[in-house]
Amino acid sequence: MVKIIMHGCNGYMGQVISGLVDKDPEAEIVAGIDIVDQGKNSYPVFTDIKACQTEADAIIDFSSAKAVDALLDYSVERQIPVIVCTTGLSEEQLARIEEASGKVAVLRSANMSLGINTLLKLVQDAAKVFATAGFDMEIVERHHRLKVDAPSGTAIALADSLNEAMGNSYEYVYDRSQKREKRSDKEIGISAVRGGTIVGEHEVIFAGPDEVIEFKHTAYSKAVFGKGAIEAAKFLAGKPAGRYDMSDVIG
């Protein structure tokens, strides 16, 4: 049984994960941390992270960027592995994650979905075949109208996987409206769509002479990210200090 501290327990994803863990015989949330205790959880909630001294195997974080610094300090001090799922982190905070990983196990991924992280591996193999044969590579991502960043972190991660497979020799093109020139051989186009309540869609297109191959992942609910985070907690429990990502979980 993996014992989990849920950091950001009263947020949307904190509640999604709480519901998923309730049905998982291999995991248990033993404590929550949030800025307020709304009294709606079956486990104790601490409004001050330092006050939480509950024994645990891993921390899952779905909070806000401003809470991550204190979380990393807490994880290192108590030597509890941490899964950082919060997005929008600054370069300084990313550097702090790397620093913390020298002292405790830290897992961070642009997307916690098991499907997306499997897709990251698949498109690398595909790029080595299709891009080498002269196919053009394009990424189209679609999200709900409230998402503020574009392109998504997952779209960038997909582009990075393609680029890595090709020796990091490609440039990223986000907006063709100002280019007024034909497509180059060494570019990865990334397009963002925002509208409605789309949870998340990512499509990788390999377009060649007379044929097109497409890889697509669609998230129908945010539960897919919660499931991935729980699997990451099971994986990270008991791991030595180091920097991990979801490729380690599915690998």
Side-chain angles (χ1 to χ4, degrees), residues 2 4 24 68 86 114 179 189 193 225 251:
V2 175
I4 299 168
D24 190 331
V68 169
T86 295
L114 296 173
K179 287 183 73 70
V193 176
F225 311 124

Side-chain angles (χ1 to χ4, degrees), residues 116-139:
I116 280 289
N117 283 280
T118 302
L119 182 61
L120 288 168
K121 286 190 171 184
L122 293 174
V123 298
Q124 276 203 326
D125 292 337
K128 293 173 184 176
V129 175
F130 299 124
T132 301
F135 282 57
D136 297 320
M137 298 186 289
E138 293 281 323
I139 297 170

Side-chain angles (χ1 to χ4, degrees), residues 34-136:
D34 213 308
I35 55 174
V36 293
D37 180 5
Q38 299 175 342
K40 60 183 179 181
N41 299 298
S42 58
Y43 47 80
V45 175
F46 298 86
T47 58
D48 179 359
I49 190 170
K50 295 179 181 179
C52 179
Q53 295 298 309
T54 307
E55 293 299 318
D57 300 306
I59 306 167
I60 295 178
D61 163 61
F62 267 103
S63 58
S64 65
K66 63 184 180 181
V68 169
D69 290 344
L71 168 66
L72 292 172
D73 291 340
Y74 177 84
S75 173
V76 169
E77 180 182 340
R78 297 208 57 212
Q79 284 295 290
I80 303 176
V82 60
I83 298 94
V84 181
C85 305
T86 295
T87 58
L89 303 182
S90 67
E91 290 298 323
E92 290 78 9
Q93 288 178 310
L94 295 176
R96 287 202 65 187
I97 286 176
E98 293 299 327
E99 180 184 353
S101 69
K103 304 171 184 175
V104 71
V106 180
L107 186 149
R108 179 183 173 273
S109 177
N111 188 307
M112 298 304 296
S113 159
L114 296 173
I116 280 289
N117 283 280
T118 302
L119 182 61
L120 288 168
K121 286 190 171 184
L122 293 174
V123 298
Q124 276 203 326
D125 292 337
K128 293 173 184 176
V129 175
F130 299 124
T132 301
F135 282 57
D136 297 320

Side-chain angles (χ1 to χ4, degrees), residues 151-188:
S152 68
T154 301
I156 298 298
L158 286 165
D160 288 345
S161 285
L162 297 173
N163 204 8
E164 182 181 335
M166 302 310 296
N168 294 311
S169 58
Y170 280 63
E171 66 169 332
Y172 301 165
V173 176
Y174 304 103
D175 180 12
R176 299 191 189 282
S177 65
Q178 304 301 315
K179 287 183 73 70
R180 305 295 182 182
E181 58 189 38
K182 78 177 188 69
R183 191 187 202 284
S184 76
D185 295 333
K186 294 287 188 177
E187 68 179 55
I188 300 172

